[in-house]
Amino acid sequence: MRAEEHQISSEKFVLHSKGGQLHDEKLETKPVSYFRDAMHRFARNKASIAAAVIIGILFLFAILGPVLTPYKVSDEDINYAYVLPRNELFYRMGIRFWDGGRRMGVTESSYSLYRGIEKETGRTVIMTEPEVRTEEYMGKPTSYYDFRLDTYNAVGVKFVLLRYEEYVALQQYQDENNIQVIFPITDPALRPEAEQDKTNANIWYRTKLGSGRKTTVVYDENGDFIPIYLADNGTDRYTSRMYWEGDEKLYSYAEQKDGNMWNVRVDYREYYRYIHYRAGDGIEYPSFLLGTNNAGKDLFTCLASGARFSFLLAIIVASVNLFVGAVYGAIEGYYGGKIDLMMERFVDILASIPFMIVITLLKYHFDVSHVLVLFIAFFLTGWTGMAARTRMQFYRFKNQEYVLVARTLGARDSRIMFKHIFPNAIGTLITGSVLVIPSVIFSETSLSYLGIINLNTGSLTSVGTLLATGQNFLFTYPHMILFPSIFISLLMLSFNLFGNGLRDAFNPSLRGTEE
Amino acid sequence: MYMFKYICKRISLMLVTFTIIFITCFILVKLLPVDVSSVGIGEDADKIIAQMVSRGYMKYDSGSGKYINTPILEQLGKYLKRMIFEGDFGIGFSMPEYRGRAVWSVFIEKLPPTILINVYSSLLAVPIGIVLGIFAALKKNKWQDHLISTLVMVFISVPAFVYASLVLYLLCFKLSALPLSVMSLPDIVKAYPEKGYLYVPGEFNWSLYFNKKMFLSMLPAVFSMSFGSIAGYARYTRAELTEVLTSEFMLLARTKGLTKAQATVHHALRNAMVPIFPSIIGEFVSVLSGSLIIEKIFQIPGVGGLYLAAINSTDYDFFMMLSGFYLLVGLLAGLVVDLSYGVIDPRIRMGAK
């Protein structure tokens, strides 16, 4: 074929639609962006939504908990140690659950002690009618009393040592508020002889030393307690209201110890209110929603503060890891070749160091702050995962046509990296970062649980420390480990569900498979 | 041949990584001051110094009249030489019960309970987990599957120490069905006096661990450890199997006349096992390292407890040896998992270009 046969003169060409403009047909529907699609698909996953709600509640608990409660982590009162959780509502309504009550099975002497407290303070200590059973104990039949004990009122009265000015101020408070805080002092000569009961202020009645050096109560002919209050000898400088009705002052209300100190017997519930009234911290009568631990710290406050710390640490770690990992991974993935090889070997080595070794070495070297140690350790070992995710996405997208177009048009490397390729990695990075949060919280909890990291310094505590303390009292006071366990389990569960939902939502290959 | 080359390459890479991390650890540890004040009451600080001098970690400086640390690289050289040629990993010095004892012999003594508890829990978890997973996959999207999947989600998420507390509280305390803590060697000897002659301090003492009382005392720990693994295996098996069940060769198998059971067992399961099996092998390698938390809760006289004690009382020789051990186990587990793919599935050609 010769070429000229195909020569067509240019006049023969006519433009199809001269003057008019060609358009693609306009889309009838609205475009769905990647994110909107992901959110839409996420919203259809009911389990993930429920998980998100639970996470939200736990997060609110962590943020608002420490603000709402009048207590601080450093507040502790050893007299109210081991008290059980009490919900005021349940308690007032008389529901025998979550009311600060505890099932007890005690011997005669303990039972009479509680009865004594009840009689003296006038508050219910024995919440249910006791059932008496008899069992063999060391060859002898012994009576046991089964009943529900009010762990708050069982504290009763305590001896406190006050300076004279404090003693006077307490009397003033009594008169102003018309409350009896100071109770008559017991006669030192008549106090129980048994070593373990000598400083027990709650024994206001006559006792004798029974068998096995145990304190036994001496009742009068009617079966009542016989008071051992110290008769008024005019030395106690007490001018306030009387515990005993009538105008006559029958008893002494304090005994002077050496110097300026006065030993005073106070109703501890009222005294508790008084010291907090003096401190002005807004705490009234004791009532702990989740009970207290062995040091008398409010578990609600501790748990909320621990949770807040965990969340804070996890979010900071996740965002720093995300940032560093994304930049590192982007450089690795985009430039590839030798740079990638070198950087990847570095990551390999860093990633294969066991976390325990990192944390221990850091702990040895920076003994000052364990919070800092935790943060550095999580950062050192955590960002490599983010880097790997970003790197993979960059490898996938860097040779696609649209990237080549951008390069041909003269876009700078940084623009191509962060404007054109990076958005493709955002989905997997968000999922990854969300899943970092529970893993950081879990590791932090485990480390403080094992005692490797000690976060229990004054105003700070952690869920792991609470768990570790609770473990020691698992059989006697299970409430101490129950609530931190529920918190951490719920958190892990909901984060796992939430993370799964996010992963599916951001996975474009699953698009449309649910229908 | 390429397979052999590939394995050699991977092993040498692993050794390089191990050496770098180990030496870095050693240097970082030796940069710390030796805490002579941690010596207990009634102990002689001079003895510790003498011990350090004899091992070449310290020397007398005539200039200042004090004992000073020898250069770290010199210490490293001596340490590596002793470790490689004499199998001497050092001597404990700050934990009272192991002071002056060879690190290696203490370690060997602590190894059996750790391994046994992990092996038992794997033996429990692997079959149950895989069976549950298969069942869920076969009943996909029926109520059985939903039930199993929900339980799996719960059991995977809840941390092991929560199970441990539950097991302790319910099984051991409320029901008194099982002992509260794992027996130590002296306890066993007390329980079985006729076996007392078998107990040799600083040895493996395998034979003492296989008796009824020991087994029962290990059960709570085994249970607490296996819950999470059961859930993990079940989830993994279900995911793999559902994928294989929908593939086309399964359709072919059914078309050529196999029953559903035959097709599942002979074709689907074998293919689904390809990714599951290596993870089981990896698990078996990492059983050596155990779980620090479980060992703490059940007071298991194992390696984990030793490691924690070494960390808390800053005993550097113990710390170095155990860190090296954990590091090696971790690296080995990764390597074994990678290599086992090629062994299990001939279609996967390791290291082929």
Side-chain angles (χ1 to χ4, degrees):
Chain A
M1 245 191 263
R2 291 206 306 271
E4 52 263 34
E5 280 180 22
H6 288 279
Q7 279 179 352
I8 306 165
S9 63
S10 59
E11 295 92 67
K12 283 186 179 171
F13 285 100
V14 183
L15 284 168
H16 172 262
S17 45
K18 199 174 182 182
Q21 277 177 312
L22 274 175
H23 285 292
D24 277 337
E25 241 173 78
K26 206 176 174 192
L27 286 169
E28 293 287 309
T29 49
K30 273 188 185 166
V32 180
S33 72
Y34 176 50
F35 272 98
R36 180 162 301 195
D37 178 51
M39 286 303 114
H40 176 67
R41 279 190 293 133
F42 181 78
R44 297 173 56 132
N45 188 339
K46 289 202 183 65
S48 302
I49 293 291
V53 171
I54 295 175
I55 292 173
I57 292 171
L58 292 177
F59 191 70
L60 276 183
F61 164 72
I63 298 297
L64 295 180
V67 184
L68 289 180
T69 158
Y71 296 97
K72 292 189 292 295
V73 174
S74 51
D75 285 342
E76 55 183 34
D77 191 322
I78 194 71
N79 290 315
Y80 280 110
Y82 308 111
V83 297
L84 265 65
R86 166 178 285 178
N87 185 331
E88 277 296 314
L89 195 69
F90 283 24
Y91 177 61
R92 297 236 173 97
M93 284 165 68
I95 298 169
R96 294 274 168 265
F97 168 70
W98 202 356
D99 58 348
R102 177 166 204 236
R103 293 278 327 156
M104 298 286 275
V106 296
T107 53
E108 167 86 51
S109 68
S110 302
Y111 178 66
S112 55
L113 178 71
Y114 292 130
R115 232 157 46 88
I117 297 170
E118 195 166 71
K119 194 159 170 32
E120 193 182 31
T121 60
R123 285 189 297 266
T124 317
V125 176
I126 298 157
M127 298 168 100
T128 55
E129 208 48 49
E131 289 164 27
V132 189
R133 64 190 155 88
T134 313
E135 265 180 35
E136 287 279 304
Y137 177 69
M138 285 167 69
K140 271 185 289 179
T142 315
S143 312
Y144 286 95
Y145 293 77
D146 289 326
F147 58 92
R148 197 174 173 83
L149 177 78
D150 187 323
T151 48
Y152 291 79
N153 288 345
V155 172
V157 291
K158 292 281 167 197
F159 286 124
V160 289
L161 217 52
L162 297 179
R163 276 183 290 117
Y164 181 64
E165 303 82 58
E166 289 170 335
Y167 179 41
V168 172
L170 185 55
Q171 292 184 34
Q172 253 174 16
Y173 170 82
Q174 277 200 141
D175 290 337
E176 280 163 17
N177 293 278
N178 210 14
I179 300 169
Q180 190 77 38
V181 182
I182 306 176
F183 277 29
I185 197 99
T186 49
D187 193 338
L190 295 173
R191 282 178 202 165
E193 283 174 59
E195 206 58 51
Q196 69 271 20
D197 289 328
K198 262 184 184 162
T199 52
N200 189 344
N202 279 318
I203 298 177
W204 57 277
Y205 41 81
R206 192 177 291 273
T207 54
K208 68 172 195 286
L209 201 57
S211 60
R213 296 199 66 76
K214 279 204 181 110
T215 309
T216 38
V217 190
V218 180
Y219 297 105
D220 64 7
E221 59 272 17
N222 299 327
D224 288 335
F225 293 112
I226 309 163
I228 52 163
Y229 296 135
L230 184 64
D232 181 27
N233 52 14
T235 59
D236 62 355
R237 306 213 204 158
Y238 184 79
T239 54
S240 183
R241 44 181 282 135
M242 302 299 161
Y243 169 68
W244 231 246
E245 289 298 317
D247 300 328
E248 216 178 337
K249 186 162 179 286
L250 296 169
Y251 304 116
S252 292
Y253 283 80
E255 53 179 340
Q256 192 165 12
K257 292 279 177 187
D258 31 290
N260 199 19
M261 304 306 283
W262 291 76
N263 191 20
V264 187
R265 206 165 151 266
V266 292
D267 176 3
Y268 203 76
R269 184 179 147 88
E270 292 296 343
Y271 185 70
Y272 183 86
R273 186 180 176 219
Y274 165 71
I275 44 180
H276 286 291
Y277 163 79
R278 289 289 299 275
D281 52 12
I283 299 170
E284 285 260 319
Y285 291 115
S287 175
F288 306 100
L289 196 60
L290 303 186
T292 61
N293 67 1
N294 56 327
K297 286 183 188 232
D298 177 28
L299 277 178
F300 180 86
T301 312
C302 289
L303 186 59
S305 312
R308 183 170 65 174
F309 172 76
S310 297
F311 268 115
L312 209 64
L313 180 79
I315 290 172
I316 293 174
V317 166
S319 33
V320 172
N321 281 356
L322 178 64
F323 181 73
V324 176
V327 171
Y328 193 92
I331 295 172
E332 270 186 313
Y334 186 74
Y335 292 108
K338 270 215 182 85
I339 296 179
D340 179 35
L341 196 75
M342 302 266 285
M343 290 171 89
E344 196 52 10
R345 287 292 81 71
F346 178 65
V347 167
D348 272 355
I349 290 180
L350 205 59
S352 53
I353 310 177
F355 184 68
M356 282 298 283
I357 296 183
V358 177
I359 196 99
T360 315
L361 284 175
L362 282 169
K363 180 186 135 164
Y364 286 164
H365 278 274
F366 305 98
D367 213 19
V368 269
S369 159
H370 281 183
V371 178
L372 191 71
V373 168
L374 264 184
F375 174 73
I376 298 174
F378 282 127
F379 168 66
L380 275 182
T381 51
W383 66 268
T384 52
M386 290 291 152
R389 284 163 188 271
T390 321
R391 176 174 174 267
M392 211 170 71
Q393 293 296 316
F394 267 73
Y395 262 99
R396 266 175 67 186
F397 287 97
K398 71 174 179 184
N399 287 327
Q400 297 220 341
E401 283 79 3
Y402 79 95
V403 176
L404 296 180
V405 169
R407 187 173 298 144
T408 321
L409 290 174
R412 278 173 287 119
D413 279 352
S414 59
R415 188 181 163 83
I416 296 175
M417 279 159 79
F418 292 106
K419 189 88 186 160
H420 295 300
I421 306 181
F422 188 68
N424 292 303
I426 285 181
T428 142
L429 285 182
I430 287 179
T431 316
S433 301
V434 167
L435 288 177
V436 162
I437 294 176
S439 79
V440 166
I441 294 181
F442 180 67
S443 307
E444 183 255 318
T445 307
S446 309
L447 286 171
S448 48
Y449 180 81
L450 290 170
I452 293 172
I453 286 291
N454 176 22
L455 294 168
N456 211 20
T457 48
S459 58
L460 193 65
T461 190
S462 82
V463 183
T465 317
L466 294 179
L467 283 166
T469 322
Q471 189 77 48
N472 299 333
F473 302 96
L474 178 64
F475 306 133
T476 42
Y477 298 97
H479 76 274
M480 278 166 63
I481 197 167
L482 178 68
F483 295 106
S485 297
I486 290 179
F487 171 77
I488 196 85
S489 307
L490 214 53
L491 189 77
M492 289 299 134
L493 182 61
S494 44
F495 258 110
N496 271 344
L497 284 172
F498 182 67
N500 282 356
L502 265 191
R503 194 190 53 209
D504 292 348
F506 276 115
N507 185 350
S509 65
L510 287 178
R511 191 171 174 175
T513 52
E514 297 96 338
E515 271 85 29
Chain B
M1 198 57 205
Y2 72 89
M3 185 76 185
F4 178 72
K5 251 189 199 162
Y6 179 72
I7 293 176
C8 287
K9 196 180 137 199
R10 285 295 304 265
I11 289 177
S12 52
L13 256 177
M14 187 196 91
L15 285 180
V16 169
T17 312
F18 177 80
T19 315
I20 292 176
I21 298 174
F22 193 73
I23 289 177
T24 317
C25 269
F26 186 88
I27 292 172
L28 283 174
V29 162
K30 288 294 168 185
L31 282 175
L32 294 164
V34 174
D35 191 6
V36 181
S37 64
S38 73
V39 181
I41 301 160
E43 289 284 332
D44 200 353
D46 292 340
K47 258 190 200 165
I48 302 288
I49 290 178
Q51 190 182 319
M52 302 299 275
V53 171
S54 73
R55 298 193 78 76
Y57 294 157
M58 281 178 139
K59 65 180 177 195
Y60 187 70
D61 182 38
S62 48
S64 62
K66 274 182 188 165
Y67 285 96
I68 56 163
N69 289 338
T70 42
I72 289 174
L73 287 181
E74 194 187 322
Q75 292 187 37
L76 176 67
K78 282 184 176 148
Y79 182 79
L80 289 180
K81 198 178 130 200
R82 268 201 299 272
M83 192 176 91
I84 295 164
F85 295 108
E86 297 163 32
D88 176 5
F89 288 87
I91 291 176
F93 89 100
S94 66
M95 285 182 283
E97 65 264 52
Y98 308 123
R99 188 168 295 137
R101 281 191 62 184
V103 168
W104 179 254
S105 80
V106 176
F107 168 71
I108 279 293
E109 211 181 295
K110 298 274 177 191
L111 207 50
T114 303
I115 296 180
L116 273 182
I117 284 173
N118 284 281
V119 168
Y120 288 152
S121 82
S122 292
L123 288 180
L124 191 69
V126 170
I128 298 181
I130 290 181
V131 166
L132 281 180
I134 294 172
F135 186 65
L138 293 177
K139 300 271 177 192
K140 198 186 172 197
N141 290 338
K142 296 207 177 92
W143 68 268
Q144 295 97 328
D145 174 39
H146 291 308
L147 179 72
I148 291 177
S149 299
T150 314
L151 285 180
V152 158
M153 200 63 211
V154 170
F155 277 95
I156 275 189
S157 310
V158 174
F161 45 77
V162 176
Y163 299 133
S165 302
L166 274 178
V167 166
L168 264 182
Y169 190 74
L170 294 177
L171 275 183
C172 307
F173 179 64
K174 282 279 165 185
L175 299 177
S176 317
L178 293 167
L180 287 174
S181 61
V182 174
M183 294 171 95
S184 63
L185 278 180
D187 288 341
I188 306 173
V189 174
K190 231 179 260 170
Y192 297 97
E194 71 278 9
K195 288 193 180 172
Y197 71 96
L198 286 169
Y199 175 57
V200 189
E203 286 292 325
F204 230 37
N205 292 314
W206 267 119
S207 48
L208 283 173
Y209 286 95
F210 297 99
N211 51 58
K212 196 183 160 201
K213 278 189 181 155
M214 191 71 194
F215 182 71
L216 281 181
S217 78
M218 280 178 172
L219 269 188
V222 171
F223 284 149
S224 334
M225 278 188 91
S226 46
F227 286 136
S229 323
I230 290 176
Y233 283 122
R235 180 162 81 164
Y236 203 20
T237 312
R238 181 189 174 275
E240 292 299 329
L241 197 58
T242 44
E243 209 182 312
V244 176
L245 281 175
T246 52
S247 54
E248 281 166 359
F249 69 81
M250 280 301 287
L251 195 62
L252 176 71
R254 292 302 301 278
T255 329
K256 76 178 186 189
L258 294 186
T259 62
K260 197 175 180 199
Q262 280 174 323
T264 309
V265 173
H266 291 286
H267 296 276
L269 216 52
R270 278 187 68 176
N271 279 290
M273 279 297 144
V274 169
I276 297 169
F277 206 72
S279 75
I280 297 174
I281 295 177
E283 181 100 336
F284 263 95
V285 175
S286 52
V287 295
L288 291 169
S289 50
S291 155
L292 293 178
I293 289 181
I294 295 290
E295 292 206 2
K296 185 185 151 108
I297 293 178
F298 292 99
Q299 296 156 31
I300 299 169
V303 183
L306 186 65
Y307 192 46
L308 277 184
I311 289 173
N312 287 331
S313 57
T314 57
D315 195 315
Y316 300 143
D317 277 353
F318 268 109
F319 175 70
M320 274 316 296
M321 187 216 142
L322 293 173
S323 297
F325 168 70
Y326 280 116
L327 181 59
L328 196 65
V329 168
L331 290 171
L332 261 181
L335 183 69
V336 167
V337 169
D338 276 3
L339 293 181
S340 59
Y341 277 108
V343 178
I344 292 159
D345 191 348
R347 290 173 300 181
I348 300 173
R349 286 158 57 90
M350 304 302 296
K353 290 269 151 54

